[in-house]
Amino acid sequence: MVVEEYEVIVVGAGPSGLSAGIFIARQRAKCLLISKDLGGQLNLIPKLENYPGTIMSSGPLLAKTLENQYLTFNGEMVYDTVVKVDEIEGSTDLSVKTTRSEYRTKALVLAPGKVPNNLGVENEIKFQNKGVHYCTKCDAPFYQGRITATVGVGGYLLESGILLSRMASKVYLVYRGGQLGGDKDMIESLKKKSNVELVPNSSVTYVNGDNYLQEIKLKDNSGVEKAINVDGLFIEMGSKINLDFIKHLIKINTKGEIEVTEGGKTTHPAVFASGDATNIPYKQIVAACGDGAAAGISAFNYIEKLKGKPGIRSDWKKTIGDTVFHY
Ligand SMILES: Cc1cc2nc3c(=O)[nH]c(=O)nc-3n(C[C@H](O)[C@H](O)[C@H](O)COP(=O)(O)OP(=O)(O)OC[C@H]3O[C@@H](n4cnc5c(N)ncnc54)[C@H](O)[C@@H]3O)c2cc1C
């Protein structure tokens, strides 16, 4: 098999990986973006309100725009899954194995993002984005003055309840145990909210409606079921980050996230990372794009350093006479 060689390979075509790719390809480095799909979590956002510079956009539209921008700079792209990254003996290069092929690269940018966990109840998938949501901080503003329920685990559930209580007319906070777990101040604050109803010892068993969600069914620990009318159900069951393909080469924190420092540097000199799979505090598109750009520039500077060149400080330049100054 012919092993194709690249200067930088980016894993993941969500907003972070696509942004990294744009900044690498624009420097005319030979860049390959490998991804299972286009857009990642952007595909779960039919209405996007908080990405600066866009009004009335959607996640898939942003993904397509970013992809076009990347391809404009002659970046290459392949739809595949990265299954293993290894160091190559006697070289600083890395080998990247996918389900269908194998590549060799000088530097790697990881942007594999995360996938929210489902609740696993009947009809859940049917009502995704039609009343069933997985990101309260993203979608709570769509429920101003409306009736909502939230179900989930630990701090995610508390945060969801507090955010919804600021927007919704009513919030049912559903949890399996007798007591809420997590930050005591948040629990006290929730208990004081007049529009929040705690529903302990219960789980959501069923969601239903016509085109949009109208009703959920709750079952308590003694088996008694009751239906309540809601406009929105927020599921905050955490999310999965799959780093099996790279975990032997980089430091991963206790939450399963890639540890990065300034500029998306990981503990491996040739590996950079950005977006939701890293230890950044705010998992939002604008942060994923910004950090993707930074990780892309860091990866480019790394390959320039291997060539004995100085690299760039940012992606803009000024020409004075015959000399080009990079900043
Ligand atoms: C329901 C929902 C609504 C949201 N709404 C908003 C919102 O309104 N505003 C906002 O700012 N943020 C929102 N977010 C958060 C936002 O979508 C994420 O912060 C952002 O998508 C993270 O980008 P990313 O590139 O790091 O990861 P992702 O978007 O998760 O993309 C990761 C990519 O990597 C690919 N990949 C993973 N592993 C591999 C592998 N081994 N090989 C090849 N490819 C791989 C995936 O297929 C995917 O394409 C929302 C999230 C959800 C779940």
Side-chain angles (χ1 to χ4, degrees):
M1 183 178 39
V2 182
V3 177
E4 279 190 76
E5 292 185 24
Y6 287 87
E7 289 186 286
V8 189
I9 286 182
V10 180
V11 183
S16 207
L18 287 162
S19 301
I22 289 168
F23 277 75
I24 297 159
R26 190 161 180 264
Q27 294 302 324
R28 302 206 183 127
K30 190 169 157 51
C31 180
L32 176 69
L33 207 159
I34 306 173
S35 189
K36 292 185 204 174
D37 63 6
L38 175 66
Q41 293 171 77
L42 292 184
N43 294 307
L44 303 172
I45 315 173
K47 206 167 155 197
L48 177 58
E49 290 194 325
N50 63 356
Y51 185 71
T54 61
I55 298 174
M56 298 294 284
S57 189
S58 76
L61 181 60
L62 178 63
K64 197 71 206 154
T65 310
L66 290 169
E67 183 200 27
N68 285 338
Q69 198 174 354
Y70 170 65
L71 297 175
T72 303
F73 296 120
N74 297 320
E76 293 176 44
M77 186 136 168
V78 63
Y79 288 103
D80 204 345
T81 301
V82 174
V83 289
K84 192 86 193 283
V85 177
D86 280 311
E87 290 175 333
I88 296 175
E89 234 184 277
S91 164
T92 54
D93 291 2
L94 298 168
S95 95
V96 178
K97 290 195 183 76
T98 67
T99 40
R100 292 200 301 270
S101 199
E102 187 176 340
Y103 305 90
R104 185 178 173 125
T105 186
K106 304 224 164 292
L108 190 72
V109 176
L110 301 169
K114 60 184 171 66
V115 183
N117 290 324
N118 288 342
L119 191 59
V121 297
E122 202 182 329
N123 282 341
E124 178 181 350
I125 308 296
K126 182 173 160 195
F127 288 101
Q128 265 180 15
N129 289 320
K130 292 179 177 170
V132 172
H133 300 270
Y134 299 86
C135 178
T136 311
K137 61 178 175 291
C138 311
D139 296 337
F142 297 124
Y143 287 85
Q144 303 275 353
R146 301 173 76 194
I147 302 171
T148 60
T150 179
V151 59
V153 288
Y156 297 116
L157 178 66
L158 302 181
E159 194 185 67
S160 173
I162 285 171
L163 287 172
L164 285 169
S165 70
R166 295 182 191 142
M167 321 248 176
S169 60
K170 172 91 188 176
V171 185
Y172 294 100
L173 200 103
V174 184
Y175 47 102
R176 275 181 191 272
Q179 302 290 330
L180 280 169
D183 184 271
K184 290 198 170 43
D185 291 340
M186 284 171 93
I187 295 173
E188 282 317 306
S189 155
L190 271 168
K191 284 181 176 167
K192 285 187 199 136
K193 307 246 180 204
S194 58
N195 61 343
V196 174
E197 183 174 331
L198 302 184
V199 190
N201 301 312
S202 299
S203 49
V204 176
T205 54
Y206 173 78
V207 300
N208 207 8
D210 288 332
N211 282 334
Y212 283 84
L213 180 73
Q214 288 169 317
E215 174 188 271
I216 62 172
K217 211 173 260 175
L218 301 175
K219 190 178 189 176
D220 71 19
N221 287 354
S222 58
V224 177
E225 282 195 316
K226 72 169 179 190
I228 54 171
N229 294 332
V230 296
D231 301 306
L233 172 67
F234 287 80
I235 296 170
E236 289 285 357
M237 303 295 293
S239 47
K240 283 186 283 290
I241 302 176
N242 189 349
L243 298 169
D244 287 351
F245 63 96
I246 188 81
K247 64 180 182 202
H248 51 294
L249 292 184
I250 54 168
K251 185 165 178 202
I252 291 167
N253 70 15
T254 50
K255 290 185 192 159
E257 302 162 331
I258 305 166
E259 286 237 349
V260 287
T261 54
E262 211 181 34
K265 293 189 181 92
T266 71
T267 45
H268 192 290
V271 182
F272 303 84
S274 58
D276 276 17
T278 68
N279 59 336
I280 56 159
Y282 306 113
K283 315 284 200 228
Q284 296 278 267
I285 301 164
V286 65
C289 290
D291 290 346
I297 294 176
S298 295
F300 174 72
N301 281 341
Y302 170 78
I303 58 166
E304 288 296 276
K305 203 169 157 197
L306 291 180
K307 296 178 203 163
K309 293 186 181 172
I312 55 170
R313 271 190 280 159
S314 42
D315 183 30
W316 53 280
K317 57 193 174 189
K318 194 170 185 172
T319 308
I320 302 175
D322 292 337
T323 314
V324 177
F325 295 91
H326 285 279
Y327 291 91

